[in-house]
Amino acid sequence: MAAVDIEECGVRLHARRIGIIGAGAAGLAAARVFAEENATSNNDTPPFVITVLERNNAVGGVWRYTPNSVCHYNVPQPDSSALRQKFDERCPETGGFPTPIYDELSTNLPTDVMQFPDVPFPAPTDEFPSHTEVLKYIEAYAQSKVLTHPIDLRLNTQVSNVEFHPQRSLWTCDVRDLISEHNQTLEFDAVLVCTGRVSHPYIPDVSGINELALSRPGLVIHAKEYRRASEFQDQTVLVVGGAASATDIARQLSYTACQVHTSTADASQADADARDPRMTPEMGAGCNPSRPLCRHLRIKEFTQTHVHFVDGTSIPMPDTIIYATGYICTFPFISQVEPVKGAPKPDHQLLSDGDIDGIPNLYKFLVLAYNPLLAILGVPNKVVPFPMYEYQATYLAHLYQGHIQLPPFDQMLDHARSDLEGPRPFIMGFKQVAYMNDLIDCVGDHQSRLGHVPDHWVKSRLHCVEQRKQRLGY
């Protein structure tokens, strides 16, 4: 049972049994940090008991490539109310669940920026590694930094329901072993959700899209199903979106398709928009010079024969429309979360009720303000994820050891609400540096492995796109 101590100036937590959902980069980083805290804490502090639950048959999360997978989603799918769930989407070749990784994906971050803070990529890894190299790196990280500790890693284990019980101050997790089909209920003092943001495709609701998808199945797909440009040989393709996946897929298709059209949300997004320009290559960079992209603004409506754009232009219906428009931030295995004792009940309690932006009521974009025994890693978008996971996990490990005093509940809720002011508040971009420094400042003198973000990392982070263009030409 977790202890929630309401003190004069705030809240202090003590949680021993830690449930980590997901064994990708975030879950592995969290398991490592919590296990290392066990090794360095004094004998007066009860050690963490760490359980990691992963539905796949191996670690790696989003970086586990599935060569041929069918995803189940609706067209349109603008929010979590439209999700299609409870389908077995495992890839017959690998047994893994589908991820957005495609054949020729390489990172848009150099290795010295992307890596975990004290674990460099091994030589001779490419400066901008392929997805295969990244997966090998994560697997090596798991073997050398995580699984050397006493951690209960449960693969092929799917979480179906997570529920908090205020009277007992604990969480129950209903899980299913996908091999034996055995069901079990586990108990934890605190739960860390490390499943990432790229499970549930976001496809906006545009006039005529539902009718088009119903009349022509397979015409409209999400980028999560894109695997290789050769499958679109000599087609006319429309790529919708303006961030990293859209630019990369459009570039690849320019060498196989007869014509690639792109559509971005508005005129400004075609240039710089809300994404961090220091991370995303320019749309059109590296494309086939003999088949330049035909660029359009936002889609106004679909008919059965044409795509109409907001500026009054239109094109004949392409052979395929690929929505590279991101993902819905939702966690359908968690429905309503009850507050811990002494915390107010907020207006919005449904973590399964997500949209493309993020989850409300998160203090420091990390812990639920009215129930800080639940943490969600990786919610901020447009960030360098691997180092951020270790900083977030370090904050949480010391929070659950009682080293960090949280503000009163009402102040945490106010702080979380103020973080949501303005458009697309979960797009963090370069503010990630100040965010990670703030997390480590909260820990104070209780740990030594991580410090403020090094200057050399900041400098490399600022010049990612320039480095990539010099190295790869786009």
Side-chain angles (χ1 to χ4, degrees), residues 29 35 42 78 97 141 143 175 191 201 217 224 233 253 325 335 350 353 359 373 386 400-401 439 447 457:
N42 59 55
F97 286 82
Y141 177 85
Q143 290 298 324
V175 302
V191 171
K224 187 176 181 180
Q233 187 73 40
L253 289 172
T325 43
S335 54
L350 299 178
D353 185 16
I359 297 294
L373 295 171
F386 290 7
Y400 295 145
Q401 285 282 33
L439 292 176
Q447 69 90 41
W457 187 92

PDB file of all heavy atoms in Angstrom, residues 29 35 42 78 97 141 143 175 191 201 217 224 233 253 325 335 350 353 359 373 386 400-401 439 447 457:
ATOM      1  N   ALA A  29      14.245   2.571 -19.476  1.00  0.00           N
ATOM      2  CA  ALA A  29      14.907   3.640 -18.740  1.00  0.00           C
ATOM      3  C   ALA A  29      14.356   3.748 -17.320  1.00  0.00           C
ATOM      4  O   ALA A  29      15.118   3.919 -16.351  1.00  0.00           O
ATOM      5  CB  ALA A  29      14.736   4.968 -19.481  1.00  0.00           C
ATOM      6  N   ALA A  35      15.893   0.631 -10.394  1.00  0.00           N
ATOM      7  CA  ALA A  35      16.779  -0.411  -9.882  1.00  0.00           C
ATOM      8  C   ALA A  35      18.073   0.179  -9.343  1.00  0.00           C
ATOM      9  O   ALA A  35      18.599  -0.270  -8.314  1.00  0.00           O
ATOM     10  CB  ALA A  35      17.079  -1.422 -10.989  1.00  0.00           C
ATOM     11  N   ASN A  42      20.059   4.025   1.118  1.00  0.00           N
ATOM     12  CA  ASN A  42      20.500   3.442   2.381  1.00  0.00           C
ATOM     13  C   ASN A  42      19.556   2.326   2.814  1.00  0.00           C
ATOM     14  O   ASN A  42      18.463   2.156   2.283  1.00  0.00           O
ATOM     15  CB  ASN A  42      20.604   4.531   3.460  1.00  0.00           C
ATOM     16  CG  ASN A  42      19.266   5.236   3.693  1.00  0.00           C
ATOM     17  OD1 ASN A  42      18.268   4.595   3.980  1.00  0.00           O
ATOM     18  ND2 ASN A  42      19.257   6.570   3.566  1.00  0.00           N
ATOM     19  N   PRO A  78     -10.685  10.970 -35.339  1.00  0.00           N
ATOM     20  CA  PRO A  78     -10.180  12.246 -34.813  1.00  0.00           C
ATOM     21  C   PRO A  78      -9.926  12.258 -33.309  1.00  0.00           C
ATOM     22  O   PRO A  78      -9.249  13.151 -32.809  1.00  0.00           O
ATOM     23  CB  PRO A  78     -11.286  13.232 -35.178  1.00  0.00           C
ATOM     24  CG  PRO A  78     -12.532  12.394 -35.178  1.00  0.00           C
ATOM     25  CD  PRO A  78     -12.120  11.036 -35.664  1.00  0.00           C
ATOM     26  N   PHE A  97       3.461  -6.733 -32.273  1.00  0.00           N
ATOM     27  CA  PHE A  97       2.380  -5.814 -32.603  1.00  0.00           C
ATOM     28  C   PHE A  97       2.904  -4.743 -33.560  1.00  0.00           C
ATOM     29  O   PHE A  97       4.073  -4.383 -33.522  1.00  0.00           O
ATOM     30  CB  PHE A  97       1.814  -5.182 -31.335  1.00  0.00           C
ATOM     31  CG  PHE A  97       0.964  -6.115 -30.527  1.00  0.00           C
ATOM     32  CD1 PHE A  97       1.544  -7.038 -29.659  1.00  0.00           C
ATOM     33  CD2 PHE A  97      -0.420  -6.104 -30.652  1.00  0.00           C
ATOM     34  CE1 PHE A  97       0.769  -7.914 -28.920  1.00  0.00           C
ATOM     35  CE2 PHE A  97      -1.205  -6.974 -29.909  1.00  0.00           C
ATOM     36  CZ  PHE A  97      -0.613  -7.880 -29.049  1.00  0.00           C
ATOM     37  N   TYR A 141      21.228  -1.879 -24.406  1.00  0.00           N
ATOM     38  CA  TYR A 141      20.951  -1.096 -23.197  1.00  0.00           C
ATOM     39  C   TYR A 141      20.203  -1.946 -22.176  1.00  0.00           C
ATOM     40  O   TYR A 141      20.517  -1.937 -20.977  1.00  0.00           O
ATOM     41  CB  TYR A 141      20.143   0.136 -23.587  1.00  0.00           C
ATOM     42  CG  TYR A 141      19.689   1.033 -22.450  1.00  0.00           C
ATOM     43  CD1 TYR A 141      20.526   2.018 -21.936  1.00  0.00           C
ATOM     44  CD2 TYR A 141      18.414   0.918 -21.920  1.00  0.00           C
ATOM     45  CE1 TYR A 141      20.109   2.854 -20.911  1.00  0.00           C
ATOM     46  CE2 TYR A 141      17.978   1.749 -20.899  1.00  0.00           C
ATOM     47  CZ  TYR A 141      18.832   2.721 -20.398  1.00  0.00           C
ATOM     48  OH  TYR A 141      18.409   3.544 -19.380  1.00  0.00           O
ATOM     49  N   GLN A 143      20.235  -5.221 -21.890  1.00  0.00           N
ATOM     50  CA  GLN A 143      21.091  -6.280 -21.358  1.00  0.00           C
ATOM     51  C   GLN A 143      22.143  -5.744 -20.393  1.00  0.00           C
ATOM     52  O   GLN A 143      22.432  -6.376 -19.371  1.00  0.00           O
ATOM     53  CB  GLN A 143      21.780  -7.012 -22.517  1.00  0.00           C
ATOM     54  CG  GLN A 143      20.847  -7.857 -23.364  1.00  0.00           C
ATOM     55  CD  GLN A 143      20.182  -8.978 -22.567  1.00  0.00           C
ATOM     56  OE1 GLN A 143      20.793  -9.575 -21.672  1.00  0.00           O
ATOM     57  NE2 GLN A 143      18.929  -9.270 -22.896  1.00  0.00           N
ATOM     58  N   VAL A 175      -4.120  -8.368 -16.274  1.00  0.00           N
ATOM     59  CA  VAL A 175      -3.221  -8.712 -17.370  1.00  0.00           C
ATOM     60  C   VAL A 175      -3.581 -10.087 -17.926  1.00  0.00           C
ATOM     61  O   VAL A 175      -4.210 -10.899 -17.252  1.00  0.00           O
ATOM     62  CB  VAL A 175      -1.744  -8.707 -16.921  1.00  0.00           C
ATOM     63  CG1 VAL A 175      -1.362  -7.334 -16.373  1.00  0.00           C
ATOM     64  CG2 VAL A 175      -1.462  -9.786 -15.891  1.00  0.00           C
ATOM     65  N   VAL A 191       2.060   3.229 -10.626  1.00  0.00           N
ATOM     66  CA  VAL A 191       2.078   2.717 -11.996  1.00  0.00           C
ATOM     67  C   VAL A 191       2.714   3.762 -12.902  1.00  0.00           C
ATOM     68  O   VAL A 191       2.359   4.951 -12.848  1.00  0.00           O
ATOM     69  CB  VAL A 191       0.658   2.381 -12.498  1.00  0.00           C
ATOM     70  CG1 VAL A 191       0.656   2.067 -13.990  1.00  0.00           C
ATOM     71  CG2 VAL A 191       0.094   1.200 -11.706  1.00  0.00           C
ATOM     72  N   PRO A 201      -3.732   5.697 -34.515  1.00  0.00           N
ATOM     73  CA  PRO A 201      -3.631   6.717 -35.571  1.00  0.00           C
ATOM     74  C   PRO A 201      -4.664   7.820 -35.429  1.00  0.00           C
ATOM     75  O   PRO A 201      -5.822   7.582 -35.072  1.00  0.00           O
ATOM     76  CB  PRO A 201      -3.874   5.913 -36.854  1.00  0.00           C
ATOM     77  CG  PRO A 201      -3.433   4.526 -36.524  1.00  0.00           C
ATOM     78  CD  PRO A 201      -3.834   4.332 -35.085  1.00  0.00           C
ATOM     79  N   PRO A 217     -12.299   0.918 -50.089  1.00  0.00           N
ATOM     80  CA  PRO A 217     -11.422   0.436 -49.007  1.00  0.00           C
ATOM     81  C   PRO A 217      -9.959   0.387 -49.445  1.00  0.00           C
ATOM     82  O   PRO A 217      -9.646  -0.046 -50.554  1.00  0.00           O
ATOM     83  CB  PRO A 217     -11.960  -0.966 -48.715  1.00  0.00           C
ATOM     84  CG  PRO A 217     -13.371  -0.949 -49.214  1.00  0.00           C
ATOM     85  CD  PRO A 217     -13.371  -0.035 -50.408  1.00  0.00           C
ATOM     86  N   LYS A 224       1.108   4.659 -40.253  1.00  0.00           N
ATOM     87  CA  LYS A 224       1.509   3.515 -39.437  1.00  0.00           C
ATOM     88  C   LYS A 224       1.581   2.242 -40.274  1.00  0.00           C
ATOM     89  O   LYS A 224       2.322   1.310 -39.941  1.00  0.00           O
ATOM     90  CB  LYS A 224       0.539   3.335 -38.264  1.00  0.00           C
ATOM     91  CG  LYS A 224       0.973   2.261 -37.274  1.00  0.00           C
ATOM     92  CD  LYS A 224       0.060   2.178 -36.075  1.00  0.00           C
ATOM     93  CE  LYS A 224       0.553   1.114 -35.098  1.00  0.00           C
ATOM     94  NZ  LYS A 224      -0.308   0.991 -33.900  1.00  0.00           N
ATOM     95  N   GLN A 233       4.562   1.893 -56.623  1.00  0.00           N
ATOM     96  CA  GLN A 233       5.204   2.109 -57.917  1.00  0.00           C
ATOM     97  C   GLN A 233       4.206   2.648 -58.941  1.00  0.00           C
ATOM     98  O   GLN A 233       3.121   2.084 -59.134  1.00  0.00           O
ATOM     99  CB  GLN A 233       5.798   0.793 -58.428  1.00  0.00           C
ATOM    100  CG  GLN A 233       6.630   0.893 -59.682  1.00  0.00           C
ATOM    101  CD  GLN A 233       7.979   1.539 -59.431  1.00  0.00           C
ATOM    102  OE1 GLN A 233       8.617   1.273 -58.410  1.00  0.00           O
ATOM    103  NE2 GLN A 233       8.412   2.388 -60.342  1.00  0.00           N
ATOM    104  N   LEU A 253       8.725   8.267 -51.654  1.00  0.00           N
ATOM    105  CA  LEU A 253       7.765   7.997 -52.729  1.00  0.00           C
ATOM    106  C   LEU A 253       8.120   8.734 -54.017  1.00  0.00           C
ATOM    107  O   LEU A 253       7.755   8.290 -55.110  1.00  0.00           O
ATOM    108  CB  LEU A 253       6.361   8.405 -52.278  1.00  0.00           C
ATOM    109  CG  LEU A 253       5.710   7.522 -51.208  1.00  0.00           C
ATOM    110  CD1 LEU A 253       4.421   8.150 -50.716  1.00  0.00           C
ATOM    111  CD2 LEU A 253       5.430   6.124 -51.758  1.00  0.00           C
ATOM    112  N   THR A 325      -0.388  12.069 -40.041  1.00  0.00           N
ATOM    113  CA  THR A 325      -0.916  13.159 -39.219  1.00  0.00           C
ATOM    114  C   THR A 325      -0.775  12.908 -37.721  1.00  0.00           C
ATOM    115  O   THR A 325      -1.386  13.605 -36.916  1.00  0.00           O
ATOM    116  CB  THR A 325      -2.394  13.394 -39.571  1.00  0.00           C
ATOM    117  OG1 THR A 325      -3.061  12.125 -39.713  1.00  0.00           O
ATOM    118  CG2 THR A 325      -2.522  14.159 -40.871  1.00  0.00           C
ATOM    119  N   SER A 335      -9.318   3.787 -17.566  1.00  0.00           N
ATOM    120  CA  SER A 335     -10.517   4.598 -17.804  1.00  0.00           C
ATOM    121  C   SER A 335     -10.544   5.735 -16.789  1.00  0.00           C
ATOM    122  O   SER A 335      -9.731   6.645 -16.853  1.00  0.00           O
ATOM    123  CB  SER A 335     -11.776   3.733 -17.728  1.00  0.00           C
ATOM    124  OG  SER A 335     -11.831   3.019 -16.505  1.00  0.00           O
ATOM    125  N   LEU A 350     -10.926  11.056 -17.252  1.00  0.00           N
ATOM    126  CA  LEU A 350     -10.817   9.934 -18.181  1.00  0.00           C
ATOM    127  C   LEU A 350      -9.509  10.001 -18.954  1.00  0.00           C
ATOM    128  O   LEU A 350      -9.332  10.851 -19.822  1.00  0.00           O
ATOM    129  CB  LEU A 350     -12.010   9.928 -19.142  1.00  0.00           C
ATOM    130  CG  LEU A 350     -13.389   9.768 -18.501  1.00  0.00           C
ATOM    131  CD1 LEU A 350     -14.472   9.818 -19.568  1.00  0.00           C
ATOM    132  CD2 LEU A 350     -13.479   8.448 -17.735  1.00  0.00           C
ATOM    133  N   ASP A 353      -9.918   9.131 -22.666  1.00  0.00           N
ATOM    134  CA  ASP A 353     -10.575  10.136 -23.496  1.00  0.00           C
ATOM    135  C   ASP A 353      -9.530  11.139 -23.988  1.00  0.00           C
ATOM    136  O   ASP A 353      -9.478  12.270 -23.548  1.00  0.00           O
ATOM    137  CB  ASP A 353     -11.662  10.841 -22.673  1.00  0.00           C
ATOM    138  CG  ASP A 353     -12.468  11.825 -23.502  1.00  0.00           C
ATOM    139  OD1 ASP A 353     -12.402  11.740 -24.739  1.00  0.00           O
ATOM    140  OD2 ASP A 353     -13.159  12.670 -22.918  1.00  0.00           O
ATOM    141  N   ILE A 359      -2.655  14.562 -22.530  1.00  0.00           N
ATOM    142  CA  ILE A 359      -3.516  14.216 -21.403  1.00  0.00           C
ATOM    143  C   ILE A 359      -3.595  15.400 -20.448  1.00  0.00           C
ATOM    144  O   ILE A 359      -2.558  15.964 -20.070  1.00  0.00           O
ATOM    145  CB  ILE A 359      -2.956  12.989 -20.656  1.00  0.00           C
ATOM    146  CG1 ILE A 359      -2.958  11.762 -21.575  1.00  0.00           C
ATOM    147  CG2 ILE A 359      -3.731  12.710 -19.392  1.00  0.00           C
ATOM    148  CD1 ILE A 359      -4.324  11.271 -21.965  1.00  0.00           C
ATOM    149  N   LEU A 373       0.349   8.977  -7.904  1.00  0.00           N
ATOM    150  CA  LEU A 373       0.835   7.595  -7.949  1.00  0.00           C
ATOM    151  C   LEU A 373       0.701   7.003  -9.349  1.00  0.00           C
ATOM    152  O   LEU A 373       1.028   5.836  -9.566  1.00  0.00           O
ATOM    153  CB  LEU A 373       0.075   6.731  -6.939  1.00  0.00           C
ATOM    154  CG  LEU A 373       0.300   7.119  -5.477  1.00  0.00           C
ATOM    155  CD1 LEU A 373      -0.659   6.358  -4.564  1.00  0.00           C
ATOM    156  CD2 LEU A 373       1.751   6.862  -5.059  1.00  0.00           C
ATOM    157  N   PHE A 386      14.978   9.653 -25.645  1.00  0.00           N
ATOM    158  CA  PHE A 386      15.744   8.762 -24.770  1.00  0.00           C
ATOM    159  C   PHE A 386      16.283   9.477 -23.531  1.00  0.00           C
ATOM    160  O   PHE A 386      16.079   9.008 -22.405  1.00  0.00           O
ATOM    161  CB  PHE A 386      16.883   8.098 -25.536  1.00  0.00           C
ATOM    162  CG  PHE A 386      16.444   7.067 -26.557  1.00  0.00           C
ATOM    163  CD1 PHE A 386      15.101   6.877 -26.857  1.00  0.00           C
ATOM    164  CD2 PHE A 386      17.372   6.296 -27.229  1.00  0.00           C
ATOM    165  CE1 PHE A 386      14.695   5.942 -27.808  1.00  0.00           C
ATOM    166  CE2 PHE A 386      16.986   5.360 -28.178  1.00  0.00           C
ATOM    167  CZ  PHE A 386      15.650   5.186 -28.467  1.00  0.00           C
ATOM    168  N   TYR A 400       8.897   8.825  -5.392  1.00  0.00           N
ATOM    169  CA  TYR A 400       8.287   7.681  -4.712  1.00  0.00           C
ATOM    170  C   TYR A 400       9.128   7.164  -3.542  1.00  0.00           C
ATOM    171  O   TYR A 400       8.668   6.322  -2.776  1.00  0.00           O
ATOM    172  CB  TYR A 400       8.015   6.563  -5.716  1.00  0.00           C
ATOM    173  CG  TYR A 400       6.979   6.950  -6.768  1.00  0.00           C
ATOM    174  CD1 TYR A 400       7.073   6.491  -8.083  1.00  0.00           C
ATOM    175  CD2 TYR A 400       5.926   7.795  -6.445  1.00  0.00           C
ATOM    176  CE1 TYR A 400       6.130   6.851  -9.038  1.00  0.00           C
ATOM    177  CE2 TYR A 400       4.989   8.164  -7.392  1.00  0.00           C
ATOM    178  CZ  TYR A 400       5.098   7.694  -8.689  1.00  0.00           C
ATOM    179  OH  TYR A 400       4.156   8.067  -9.629  1.00  0.00           O
ATOM    180  N   GLN A 401      10.347   7.668  -3.402  1.00  0.00           N
ATOM    181  CA  GLN A 401      11.131   7.386  -2.194  1.00  0.00           C
ATOM    182  C   GLN A 401      10.852   8.406  -1.100  1.00  0.00           C
ATOM    183  O   GLN A 401      11.381   8.293   0.011  1.00  0.00           O
ATOM    184  CB  GLN A 401      12.635   7.410  -2.523  1.00  0.00           C
ATOM    185  CG  GLN A 401      13.125   6.184  -3.277  1.00  0.00           C
ATOM    186  CD  GLN A 401      13.310   4.979  -2.368  1.00  0.00           C
ATOM    187  OE1 GLN A 401      12.574   4.795  -1.389  1.00  0.00           O
ATOM    188  NE2 GLN A 401      14.275   4.144  -2.683  1.00  0.00           N
ATOM    189  N   LEU A 439      13.508  19.149 -13.786  1.00  0.00           N
ATOM    190  CA  LEU A 439      13.293  17.861 -13.122  1.00  0.00           C
ATOM    191  C   LEU A 439      14.470  17.502 -12.230  1.00  0.00           C
ATOM    192  O   LEU A 439      14.302  17.027 -11.096  1.00  0.00           O
ATOM    193  CB  LEU A 439      13.069  16.763 -14.165  1.00  0.00           C
ATOM    194  CG  LEU A 439      11.771  16.830 -14.974  1.00  0.00           C
ATOM    195  CD1 LEU A 439      11.745  15.727 -16.028  1.00  0.00           C
ATOM    196  CD2 LEU A 439      10.542  16.716 -14.079  1.00  0.00           C
ATOM    197  N   GLN A 447      20.899  12.543  -5.914  1.00  0.00           N
ATOM    198  CA  GLN A 447      21.477  11.653  -6.931  1.00  0.00           C
ATOM    199  C   GLN A 447      22.625  12.377  -7.623  1.00  0.00           C
ATOM    200  O   GLN A 447      22.765  13.594  -7.520  1.00  0.00           O
ATOM    201  CB  GLN A 447      20.422  11.222  -7.941  1.00  0.00           C
ATOM    202  CG  GLN A 447      19.917  12.321  -8.854  1.00  0.00           C
ATOM    203  CD  GLN A 447      20.713  12.463 -10.120  1.00  0.00           C
ATOM    204  OE1 GLN A 447      21.086  11.475 -10.714  1.00  0.00           O
ATOM    205  NE2 GLN A 447      21.001  13.694 -10.523  1.00  0.00           N
ATOM    206  N   TRP A 457      25.640  18.815 -25.660  1.00  0.00           N
ATOM    207  CA  TRP A 457      24.391  18.210 -26.143  1.00  0.00           C
ATOM    208  C   TRP A 457      23.479  19.294 -26.701  1.00  0.00           C
ATOM    209  O   TRP A 457      22.879  19.126 -27.761  1.00  0.00           O
ATOM    210  CB  TRP A 457      23.699  17.459 -25.010  1.00  0.00           C
ATOM    211  CG  TRP A 457      22.505  16.662 -25.439  1.00  0.00           C
ATOM    212  CD1 TRP A 457      22.496  15.344 -25.811  1.00  0.00           C
ATOM    213  CD2 TRP A 457      21.134  17.107 -25.528  1.00  0.00           C
ATOM    214  NE1 TRP A 457      21.214  14.943 -26.131  1.00  0.00           N
ATOM    215  CE2 TRP A 457      20.363  16.003 -25.973  1.00  0.00           C
ATOM    216  CE3 TRP A 457      20.495  18.314 -25.278  1.00  0.00           C
ATOM    217  CZ2 TRP A 457      18.975  16.094 -26.168  1.00  0.00           C
ATOM    218  CZ3 TRP A 457      19.124  18.407 -25.485  1.00  0.00           C
ATOM    219  CH2 TRP A 457      18.376  17.310 -25.922  1.00  0.00           C
TER     220      TRP A 457
END
